[in-house]
Amino acid sequence: MEIDAIESQLVGASDASLDVADQYSNLGFESQTSGDWAAAVKYHTLARDLYIDTLGASEPEVAEQWTQLGVAFEKQGMLQQSMTAFTAALQMLEQGDVTSQDLLVGDVYTTMGVGCYDRGEHASALTYLDKALNFFKAHDQATSIDIAQCLGAIGLVHEGLGDKQAALSAFQDAITHLQEYKFDGTELDDEVRMVFGTVYNNMGTVYSASGQSDRALEVYELAQEMWHAISTNGGDRQIVNYSLANVHNNLGIIMLEKEKYPQALTHYTKALELFESTDVERANVYHNMALVHEQLGDLQLGVHQRHKAIEVWQEYGDRHSSSIRGEYALIVEALTNMGDLNKAEQLSRMHNLLEEPQPGEDRPTEEGDAQTNDEL
């Protein structure tokens, strides 16, 4: 049933019941899945208020709605409202002995840490993620999956800080916690495979950045194996395709480094087939395909792919202005090498590439290298 139809039924409900609150909560999650964060705020707020009316203000269901409101506010860039919501959730949950607290405490800390990571606030991200990790380790109901997911996020933060050794250490710790599921005599379930796949992919990006291409190839293939198994089992198509697309992009980078250009293009083409039209990661794939075509001597096709990368980044406003400027600089370089000096100069002037960025303005990133895709 469509969300609007369900909402119309709920609006007509005469009583504030748990069932109505549950349905509003479900509508909130459905809105999050579709990327309609304003609707998510609306429905989680309605669910929160109904839970308060029927259960009281200090119940875990209310804290869950506060948490989801924090996520939805953050996705809209409403950081103050987001932190207020997360803080409200924690104030309700952080009561009593740690082993009696709802596991949502750790989830809230993890979510806050991931949000800080997304904004480039690495020190704050580590603070929240360390709190989450310590909470999960102390809680007798926490699973190895809880701990491994947290360690995986910590690894990404260390990678963002440029500390490759600390990143690999965190990823390896995550794998160690997941190993118990591989050797307990039972078949891996898809939840475990998803964490394995994500951690293996992110380990590969660190190995690749460290010049260990063979090791990177090994763990990328392990990630691919996990996601293919989930796909075979009928796992969520959107999640599986997105994750497999990232792995194919990263495998393409390894093939590029090994000068296996046809294999690199095969992986990049597969990545583009799997990504949704709204996935910004497509830009990295087009950028990487340009590198392959340049190595094959087809500078014109490389320029075409760079323009496609720019088109994707431009869909997201100013968030990728540095990448766009860097890509235009590489197009100018290619046009110069092709002998099209007039067009190169025209493009340079049009995008102010002849001028140094002013203080406080984005500087172009080093876009000449292949771009890996990490996952959370």
Side-chain angles (χ1 to χ4, degrees):
M1 187 181 293
E2 294 294 330
I3 287 180
D4 290 343
I6 297 174
E7 182 183 6
S8 65
Q9 291 182 7
L10 295 178
V11 169
S14 59
D15 62 332
S17 67
L18 280 177
D19 180 62
V20 174
D22 289 343
Q23 291 189 63
Y24 273 130
S25 179
N26 290 337
L27 288 176
F29 284 113
E30 289 181 29
S31 298
Q32 287 178 265
T33 300
S34 65
D36 190 345
W37 298 106
V41 168
K42 171 185 174 181
Y43 293 127
H44 285 304
T45 299
L46 288 167
R48 178 201 62 193
D49 293 344
L50 280 175
Y51 282 132
I52 291 174
D53 289 342
T54 55
L55 297 174
S58 60
E59 294 300 311
E61 289 84 353
V62 180
E64 172 68 24
Q65 299 310 307
W66 275 119
T67 302
Q68 299 310 321
L69 282 168
V71 173
F73 282 130
E74 183 178 349
K75 292 295 185 180
Q76 297 178 87
M78 305 166 71
L79 301 184
Q80 183 174 349
Q81 294 93 323
S82 174
M83 293 303 293
T84 298
F86 285 135
T87 300
L90 287 172
Q91 286 175 344
M92 296 172 57
L93 293 166
E94 290 183 320
Q95 300 175 4
D97 183 79
V98 67
T99 57
S100 67
Q101 293 171 356
D102 193 283
L103 282 173
L104 188 57
V105 172
D107 294 337
V108 173
Y109 277 132
T110 300
T111 303
M112 294 174 78
V114 169
C116 290
Y117 167 78
D118 287 340
R119 298 192 297 272
E121 300 170 5
H122 295 109
S124 296
L126 280 179
T127 296
Y128 288 122
L129 290 171
D130 283 340
K131 287 184 177 181
L133 183 61
N134 291 333
F135 176 86
F136 286 134
K137 286 183 175 180
H139 202 296
D140 59 4
Q141 298 299 313
T143 68
S144 292
I145 294 178
D146 295 320
I147 296 172
Q149 287 178 316
C150 191
L151 284 165
I154 289 172
L156 276 182
V157 177
H158 283 303
E159 181 185 359
L161 289 167
D163 191 340
K164 297 181 178 63
Q165 192 56 49
L168 288 173
S169 177
F171 291 143
Q172 190 55 61
D173 284 349
I175 295 298
T176 298
H177 280 280
L178 292 170
Q179 291 295 336
E180 68 177 64
Y181 296 103
K182 294 190 72 172
F183 300 109
D184 65 358
T186 61
E187 177 72 10
L188 288 179
D189 65 31
D190 285 348
E191 183 181 9
V192 178
R193 285 194 178 96
M194 288 177 69
V195 183
F196 264 121
T198 300
V199 174
Y200 279 139
N201 179 69
N202 295 339
M203 286 182 76
T205 65
V206 179
Y207 281 128
S208 179
S210 303
Q212 302 180 60
S213 59
D214 289 337
R215 189 73 179 98
L217 178 61
E218 179 183 343
V219 291
Y220 282 147
E221 289 177 341
L222 289 171
Q224 187 178 31
E225 176 186 322
M226 292 294 172
W227 289 110
H228 274 309
I230 297 171
S231 178
T232 301
N233 292 340
D236 186 290
R237 182 187 63 81
Q238 187 174 3
I239 294 174
V240 172
N241 285 356
Y242 174 80
S243 298
L244 273 175
N246 283 325
V247 175
H248 276 293
N249 174 70
N250 296 341
L251 282 167
I253 292 172
I254 301 302
M255 295 300 106
L256 173 59
E257 291 174 354
K258 292 180 176 293
E259 300 183 1
K260 297 181 178 181
Y261 303 127
Q263 293 94 321
L265 289 175
T266 296
H267 281 298
Y268 293 142
T269 301
K270 185 63 177 177
L272 290 174
E273 291 173 358
L274 289 167
F275 275 131
E276 299 283 339
S277 61
T278 54
D279 290 329
V280 69
E281 291 82 0
R282 290 176 300 136
N284 285 345
V285 182
Y286 286 125
H287 169 93
N288 295 341
M289 292 182 83
L291 294 174
V292 176
H293 291 305
E294 288 166 357
Q295 289 298 317
L296 292 171
D298 194 339
L299 299 183
Q300 185 61 53
L301 189 50
V303 166
H304 174 72
Q305 298 292 3
R306 294 195 186 283
H307 277 296
K308 293 181 76 68
I310 290 170
E311 288 174 7
V312 174
W313 280 319
Q314 286 176 333
E315 294 172 10
Y316 295 83
D318 295 331
R319 291 177 56 189
H320 300 280
S321 58
S322 177
S323 295
I324 291 171
R325 194 168 190 269
E327 206 72 1
Y328 273 125
L330 291 171
I331 291 174
V332 167
E333 181 181 340
L335 291 171
T336 301
N337 291 335
M338 293 163 60
D340 196 342
L341 302 182
N342 289 336
K343 192 170 183 180
E345 183 177 359
Q346 181 183 21
L347 199 61
S348 293
R349 294 187 182 282
M350 183 183 302
H351 298 284
N352 299 316
L353 300 179
L354 300 177
E355 301 176 5
E356 281 293 309
Q358 297 300 310
E361 181 182 349
D362 275 344
R363 290 180 174 271
T365 55
E366 293 295 329
E367 295 294 338
D369 294 328
Q371 303 297 302
T372 55
N373 287 342
D374 288 320
E375 286 188 82
L376 273 173

